[in-house]
Every structure is written in structure tokens, then in C-alpha cells.
């Protein structure tokens, strides 16, 4: 069937006055008025739009936010002005930007990059050691060496093309500080401090190039505050941000509209299949709500008229046709996993992912007490010791202390990691108490067997390893950078399942935010893949005290 023609006239909208009241039994044709196209946006339009958005209800404002970063919030005034005029900017990079993302040199598109001498000096001071920061500093130094190789000394002042190493998106040039800049700083600021010297370079560049927009880029909040206080434009490096608003983060769950079955029941097919010893019902539906769904996303419909609720998972999507599969009910005692049953809807969804051998990568988000660790550990034990789907459970996490560090820890790798694994010890106690018939000797034997199948590993020794038929649990994954997360996930060999647990509201790693966390990164990148799944756990089930504390504190 041919497509309809593209409309040539603007849409007609009716004002309130165009709806005359009709007499009983008579139809009245409304008066149609053409609405002119909106005028071009002026300089005051963003402010007017911002005032309009402030009046919107909170729910509408959230749903109206685009996924892209809002430049009016993050960018400085100089950047916004340069964007309107189409003028390339000169970005002065702070050292922490390069040490946070070694590829940041090539992330500024058509704009130029300027490196003060103090930035190079701080890179040199941080290049020694085996930490992530030291490795990033060395990688930046190698990139700079490759860029500057073969360039004549007099050509450095003219700028080095950043596309020289094959980065086609980087169309700008790289400038180094080749002479002493005398930028006047406010009295009282210590001249010897590195941050103040970089601020002085920014001030001097503004005086030398008044026609060019100069912007300082730093991950340091205090550095940006000092720059703004001095009247210098400063921004955060936000190229690594996955999302601006974490409310837009994929939750893995969606509620079907009340009229879903009425709109999608036409031509619906259903059949039953037996998978992994459990019977499932499948529905093939077609309708307007299908394109908004994702593969492995959970859907639910809880009618208010007393009908049975529907809980399902999207298995396939083809245009406006989707295949929905019913779930195994883990809230029932007969389907308990290592003696654990789901206490709410989201935990039931999570256990369906954790116990599905076709799902290789699972991410669970949720605040404290939602049961992330307990569910993952129970599913791991059931599949290692009962069904023998995996050989052993490997547990790892980032060793970032909440308070002051207590110093070096004695013993082997596992003994050093044991203080960080208190959460798993607590959950193992809960799982062991579930077997009350075995007695004290039986529980001790079970605990020894469990301990022999659980290995605790440090992140520091993960590079180069390959895990085959392992159940890998990454705890506190919100403290991982996207690069560290990639290093861990790529360790998976054949038959390995990776489970990432975390709460993006509790990030302890410096320079990481909710939008740039490695956990946010993988949730956004893996959504819709047929062998991965994600669930955001909502309700706390630890205790009434913990739930109340999470709400009021």
C-alpha cells in the first residue's frame, strides 16, 4: 500500500473560543483557524522556555527532558554564545580531566585544546605507580608524544592537528603553552599553587585573544567555583556522562496501560513451551505500544477490577509485533531459590533474570535493603551446588572505604578482601539458617561446602584473566569507572554469568557521578540485548527500621 502524501499546510489548532455551544440535537461545525508557524528563536527564548518549563508539573517536566545533556544547564555563558555564533572554542584542560579520561584530548570535535605547562607538570608527577590514575597519566603522555612526533619546533605554536593519529572526529588543533603567561590574579591567591597558575593562564589567554571564547574544563568543583568567581568561563568535562538525569535511566520494568489488551488483542496468538523444566505461556501481540518496548524488559498489568494480574517479559520484537512470555512465580514457596522467595514484584523479576541460563549479564539497582546481594547469592548457590550450571561463585568489589582507611591488611588476597566482603558473610548466615532440619553439624558442613565454592577476588588482578563457567558477582559496581567496568565484563568466557549490583546514590569514588558511573554506563549500553537484563528494585525488605531510615534520613 503506498504511503500517504506529506502534508503541505501547517496543522490547524482550535482555540477555546472556536467551540460554540450546540443546541440539543443539532451539530455545529467549529470555526477553523490557521496557526502560523512559530517565530525564529530569539536570544530571550531560552529564558522564556525555562520559565515555561518551571510551571510544568514535575512528572511532565521529567518526561519532557531529552536524553541528551541540556547545554543551558552545563555549559558556560561563553560556550552558549559561541554555539549560537558557530565560532570554534579554545578549551583549556585541567589535569584531572586527562587523568579521568585519557582520550579526552580527542573528544572536543571541531574545537581547539590548550594544555598549560602546569598541566604537563602535574601529569609528570602522577605517572608513577600502578593505580588507574597513573596508568591514565602514562597513556596521555604517550598520546602527546605521538602527536608531537615529527612536528617542527616553530609549528608547535601554530597548533598540532588532533586528527593526526586517526581520530577523525577531532577536527581541532592542540596548543601547548610555549611562553610564560602573565595573567593578573586577585591579590591573596598563592601563586605557587597549580590551580591558580592554570587560572592565570586562562586569564592571560582571554587578554591575548579577546575575539576567541576561552573555556576552562575541569572535574574539580572548587576549581570551577574559583574560575567563576574570577569571571572566567568554566565547565565540567561531561563527555563521559551517559545521562544528565538519572530519572531517565532504564528501569527494566514498564506498566502496561489499562486498555493494552483491548488495543492489542486483535489477531493475538498464544502457545505454551516447556523451558528448563518449567512451562511458560507465550503471547504474540501487535499494536501501538510495542515499539516503545525493549527485549527482556518486564511488563506488568494489575487491573483494579479484581482480575488476576499479568506479569511477563518481552522476548522478541519485530516492528509493531512483540512476543510476551509469562514468568515463573518465585513468590511461591515451591519455587524458592536456596530457601529464599521473592517478597515483591521487582524481586520476582530479578530472580527470573538470575535463574535464566540464557541471560549472561544481569544488573540490579536499588537502595540499601532491597535484597540485591541476597538474591544474587541465593541464585548463585542454587546454580552452583544444585543444578551445577556453574563451577563456582566469584565475588569482587571496589575497595573504596567510606571513612578513613585503616591501613594495610595482613594475609593472602582472600584474607585482605574479607573485611570488604562483610555483606556477603551476613547474607550467607541468612541462607544457612534456612535449613533448620540439618542440625548444627549439618549447617557447619554446608557452610564449609559453600565456602569452598565461593572465591573472593580483588579487582587489581583481573586484567588478562578469563572466567569459564563462573557465576561472577560485582558488588558496589557504582564505584567503577566505565573503563574498569569494560575490563571486568570482557573477562567473561564461555558459560559465565556476570551480575552487577549497586546503588548509584552511594558513590564513593572521586570524580564519579551518577551520570558517569560505570554501572549507569552498562545499564544504558546493554538495554535491549537479548542476553542481558536489568531490574531496578524499589521496595526495601531488610526491616521496618531500615526502610524508615531510608525514607526519613
Amino acid at each position: 500500500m503506498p504511503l500517504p502524501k506529506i502534508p503541505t499546510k501547517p496543522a490547524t489548532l482550535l482555540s477555546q473560543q472556536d467551540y460554540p455551544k450546540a443546541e440539543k440535537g443539532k451539530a455545529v461545525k467549529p470555526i477553523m483557524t490557521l496557526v502560523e508557524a512559530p517565530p525564529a528563536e530569539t536570544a530571550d527564548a531560552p529564558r522564556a522556555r525555562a520559565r515555561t518549563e518551571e510551571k510544568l508539573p514535575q512528572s511532565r517536566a521529567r518526561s519532557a527532558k531529552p536524553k541528551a545533556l541540556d547545554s543551558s544547564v552545563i555549559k558556560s555563558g561563553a560556550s552558549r554564545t559561541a554555539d549560537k555564533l558557530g565560532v570554534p572554542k579554545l578549551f583549556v584542560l585541567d589535569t584531572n580531566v586527562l587523568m579521568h579520561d585519557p582520550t579526552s584530548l580527542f573528544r572536543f570535535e571541531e574545537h581547539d585544546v590548550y594544555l598549560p605547562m602546569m598541566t604537563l607538570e602535574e601529569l609528570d608527577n602522577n605517572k608513577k605507580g600502578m593505580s588507574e590514575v597513573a596508568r591514565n597519566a602514562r597513556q596521555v603522555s604517550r598520546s602527546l608524544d605521538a602527536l608531537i612526533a615529527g612536528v617542527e619546533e616553530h609549528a608547535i605554536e601554530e597548533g598540532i592537528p588532533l586528527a593526526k593519529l586517526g581520530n577523525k572526529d577531532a577536527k581541532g588543533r592542540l596548543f601547548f603553552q610555549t611562553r610564560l603567561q602573565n595573567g593578573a590574579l586577585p591579590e591573596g591567591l598563592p601563586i605557587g599553587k597549580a590551580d591558580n597558575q592554570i587560572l592565570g593562564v586562562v586569564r592571560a589567554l582571554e587578554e591575548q585573544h579577546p575575539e576567541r571564547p576561552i573555556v576552562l574544563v575541569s572535574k574539580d568543583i572548587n576549581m570551577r567555583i574559583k574560575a567563576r568567581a574570577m569571571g572566567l568561563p568554566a565547565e565540567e568535562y561531561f563527555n563521559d556522562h551517559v545521562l544528565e538525569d538519572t530519572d531517565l535511566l532504564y528501569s527494566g520494568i514498564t506498566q502496561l496501560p489499562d486498555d493494552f489488551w483491548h488495543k492489542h488483542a486483535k489477531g493475538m496468538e498464544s502457545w505454551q513451551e516447556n523451558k528448563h523444566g518449567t512451562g511458560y505461556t507465550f503471547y504474540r501481540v501487535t499494536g501501538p505500544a510495542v515499539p516503545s518496548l525493549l527485549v527482556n524488559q518486564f511488563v506488568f498489568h494489575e487491573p483494579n477490577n479484581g482480575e488476576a494480574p499479568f506479569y511477563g517479559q518481552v522476548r522478541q520484537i519485530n516492528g509493531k509485533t512483540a512476543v510476551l512470555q509469562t514468568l515463573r512465580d518465585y513468590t511461591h514457596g515451591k519455587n524458592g531459590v536456596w530457601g529464599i522467595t521473592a517478597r515483591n514484584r521487582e524481586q520476582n523479576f530479578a530472580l527470573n533474570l538470575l535463574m535464566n541460563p540464557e541471560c549472561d549479564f544481569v544488573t540490579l539497582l536499588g537502595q540499601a535493603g532491597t535484597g540485591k546481594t541476597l538474591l544474587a547469592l541465593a541464585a548463585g548457590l542454587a546454580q552452583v551446588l544444585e543444578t551445577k550450571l556453574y563451577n563456582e561463585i566469584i565475588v569482587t568489589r571496589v575497595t573504596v572505604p567510606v571513612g578513613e582507611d585503616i591501613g594495610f591488611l595482613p594475609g593472602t588476597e582472600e584474607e585482605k578482601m574479607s573485611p570488604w566482603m562483610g555483606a556477603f558473610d551476613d547474607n550467607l548466615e541468612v541462607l544457612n539458617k534456612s535449613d533448620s532440619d540439618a542440625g548444627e553439624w549439618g549447617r557447619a558442613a554446608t557452610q564449609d561446602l559453600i565456602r569452598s565454592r565461593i572465591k573472593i577476588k580483588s579487582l587489581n588482578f583481573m586484567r588478562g584473566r578469563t572466567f569459564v563457567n563462573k557465576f561472577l558477582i560485582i558488588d558496589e559496581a557504582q564505584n567503577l569507572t566505565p573503563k574498569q567496568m569494560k575490563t571486568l565484563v570482557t573477562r567473561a568466557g564461555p558459560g559465565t554469568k556476570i551480575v552487577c549490583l549497586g546503588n548509584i546514590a552511594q558513590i564513593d569514588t572521586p570524580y564519579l557521578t551518577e551520570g558517569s558511573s560505570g554501572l549507569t554506563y552498562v545499564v544504558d549500553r546493554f538495554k535491549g540485548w537479548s542476553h542481558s537484563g536489568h531490574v531496578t528494585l524499589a521496595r526495601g525488605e531488610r526491616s521496618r527500621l531500615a526502610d524508615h531510615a531510608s525514607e526519613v534520613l
Side-chain angles (χ1 to χ4, degrees):
M1 188 177 72
L3 293 173
K5 293 182 180 180
I6 300 174
T8 56
K9 294 181 180 180
T12 56
L13 299 178
L14 296 180
S15 62
Q16 196 172 1
Q17 293 80 12
D18 294 331
Y19 286 94
K21 293 183 180 179
E23 296 180 12
K24 193 172 182 180
K26 292 184 180 180
V28 177
K29 187 177 180 181
I31 304 165
M32 307 297 282
T33 56
L34 275 177
V35 179
E36 294 181 1
E41 191 169 89
T42 60
D44 294 329
R47 296 179 195 167
R49 189 168 62 248
R51 286 195 296 270
T52 308
E53 288 174 357
E54 285 176 4
K55 297 175 184 177
L56 286 171
Q58 193 172 2
S59 59
R60 267 193 67 194
R62 281 182 179 174
S63 62
K65 282 183 182 178
K67 182 178 177 180
L69 296 176
D70 187 1
S71 60
S72 63
V73 175
I74 295 179
K75 290 187 178 181
S76 60
S79 277
R80 292 197 296 270
T81 306
D83 288 342
K84 288 178 183 176
L85 299 175
V87 180
K89 292 166 273 192
L90 180 62
F91 287 107
V92 182
L93 299 193
D94 194 3
T95 318
N96 47 50
V97 175
L98 296 170
M99 292 192 295
H100 175 75
D101 181 8
T103 62
S104 57
L105 282 170
F106 312 102
R107 303 278 189 181
F108 292 94
E109 299 175 346
E110 75 275 11
H111 307 290
D112 297 333
V113 175
Y114 187 94
L115 294 183
M117 197 58 65
M118 185 50 67
T119 297
L120 300 176
E121 188 70 26
E122 286 191 299
L123 276 177
D124 187 58
N125 294 337
N126 288 280
K127 69 181 181 183
K128 296 177 182 176
M130 297 302 296
S131 65
E132 185 76 15
V133 169
R135 279 195 290 269
N136 290 347
R138 291 194 293 270
Q139 185 176 338
V140 173
S141 298
R142 286 191 289 269
S143 299
L144 293 175
D145 182 51
L147 282 169
I148 209 169
V151 178
E152 298 293 335
E153 286 78 1
H154 61 82
I156 293 179
E157 290 193 17
E158 300 171 4
I160 304 168
L162 285 166
K164 179 182 175 183
L165 302 181
N167 302 87
K168 296 180 181 179
D169 294 333
K171 299 173 184 175
R173 304 178 80 83
L174 173 65
F175 293 91
F176 291 94
Q177 181 184 352
T178 55
R179 58 174 63 90
L180 184 64
Q181 308 278 15
N182 295 318
L185 290 174
E187 293 184 6
L189 280 179
I191 300 175
K193 194 172 181 181
D195 287 359
N196 296 336
Q197 291 194 29
I198 294 174
L199 291 173
V201 170
V202 177
R203 173 67 61 82
L205 285 172
E206 279 197 333
E207 294 173 357
Q208 290 177 12
H209 308 284
E211 75 288 349
R212 287 204 70 177
I214 314 291
V215 181
L216 171 67
V217 181
S218 176
K219 297 287 291 182
D220 188 352
I221 297 174
N222 291 328
M223 178 79 154
R224 298 198 300 270
I225 292 173
K226 281 175 24 177
R228 292 291 181 93
M230 293 169 56
L232 302 174
E235 297 175 7
E236 187 190 354
Y237 176 70
F238 52 86
N239 193 278
D240 59 333
H241 285 209
V242 182
L243 293 172
E244 176 201 357
D245 189 354
T246 50
D247 290 335
L248 298 174
L249 186 63
Y250 173 60
S251 67
I253 305 167
T254 185
Q255 184 175 5
L256 297 177
D258 293 335
D259 58 351
F260 178 82
W261 295 112
H262 296 289
K263 287 188 176 181
H264 298 72
K266 186 178 180 181
M268 183 176 67
E269 305 172 28
S270 65
W271 68 95
Q272 289 187 339
E273 289 182 16
N274 197 331
K275 285 187 174 183
H276 317 300
T278 306
Y280 296 98
T281 304
F282 292 82
Y283 300 93
R284 181 177 280 113
V285 296
T286 304
V290 171
S292 63
L293 300 176
L294 291 169
V295 176
N296 280 349
Q297 188 175 18
F298 290 97
V299 294
F300 69 94
H301 181 237
E302 295 175 339
N304 298 323
N305 55 6
E307 294 180 6
F310 172 76
Y311 302 110
Q313 188 178 15
V314 182
R315 301 305 297 170
Q316 293 178 15
I317 291 181
N318 186 8
K320 286 193 174 183
T321 302
V323 176
L324 305 181
Q325 173 195 319
T326 57
L327 304 177
R328 188 172 185 179
D329 184 16
Y330 285 101
T331 60
H332 198 283
K334 69 176 183 179
N335 294 329
V337 179
W338 203 262
I340 298 297
T341 56
R343 292 191 178 183
N344 55 51
R345 181 180 61 220
E346 288 78 17
Q347 286 191 357
N348 187 28
F349 294 162
L351 281 174
N352 273 276
L353 285 178
L354 292 168
M355 298 300 291
N356 185 2
E358 297 176 5
C359 195
D360 301 332
F361 186 74
V362 179
T363 48
L364 299 181
L365 260 70
Q367 62 180 9
T370 49
K372 302 183 297 293
T373 308
L374 184 66
L375 296 176
L377 202 52
L381 290 173
Q383 293 174 95
V384 167
L385 295 173
E386 290 180 356
T387 62
K388 296 187 170 49
L389 194 61
Y390 306 102
N391 293 337
E392 62 182 3
I393 300 173
I394 295 179
V395 182
T396 185
R397 62 170 287 179
V398 191
T399 52
V400 180
V402 177
E404 291 291 330
D405 204 339
I406 58 174
F408 292 102
L409 298 169
T412 61
E413 178 189 356
E414 293 219 358
E415 290 171 344
K416 289 176 186 293
M417 289 295 295
S418 59
W420 301 99
M421 294 299 168
F424 282 88
D425 295 335
D426 299 340
N427 285 285
L428 279 176
E429 285 184 19
V430 175
L431 293 171
N432 279 338
K433 285 179 182 177
S434 61
D435 188 8
S436 57
D437 299 332
E440 190 173 343
W441 286 97
R443 279 199 297 271
T446 305
Q447 192 165 358
D448 290 342
L449 176 63
I450 289 173
R451 290 287 183 186
S452 67
R453 292 300 183 93
I454 297 180
K455 297 291 187 293
I456 299 170
K457 300 295 180 184
S458 173
L459 278 174
N460 301 338
F461 312 109
M462 286 294 183
R463 194 177 294 278
R465 296 200 61 181
T466 301
F467 298 117
V468 181
N469 291 332
K470 301 290 191 287
F471 192 92
L472 176 60
I473 300 176
I474 305 172
D475 196 22
E476 302 294 340
Q478 76 274 3
N479 287 321
L480 287 166
T481 64
K483 184 180 176 184
Q484 289 172 325
M485 185 64 80
K486 180 182 177 181
T487 303
L488 275 178
V489 177
T490 51
R491 301 303 102 212
T496 291
K497 189 188 195 86
I498 295 182
V499 182
C500 293
L501 316 174
N503 177 14
I504 55 174
Q506 294 181 346
I507 295 179
D508 303 313
T509 305
Y511 299 127
L512 266 192
T513 61
E514 295 179 2
S516 61
S517 167
L519 185 56
T520 311
Y521 180 69
V522 291
V523 168
D524 189 67
R525 291 294 190 271
F526 275 89
K527 66 182 180 184
W529 186 46
S530 58
H531 298 287
S532 71
H534 168 70
V535 172
T536 300
L537 300 171
R539 281 182 52 193
E541 299 289 352
R542 181 170 284 165
S543 68
R544 57 191 178 192
L545 172 60
D547 295 344
H548 186 65
S550 298
E551 292 174 5
V552 301
L553 297 181

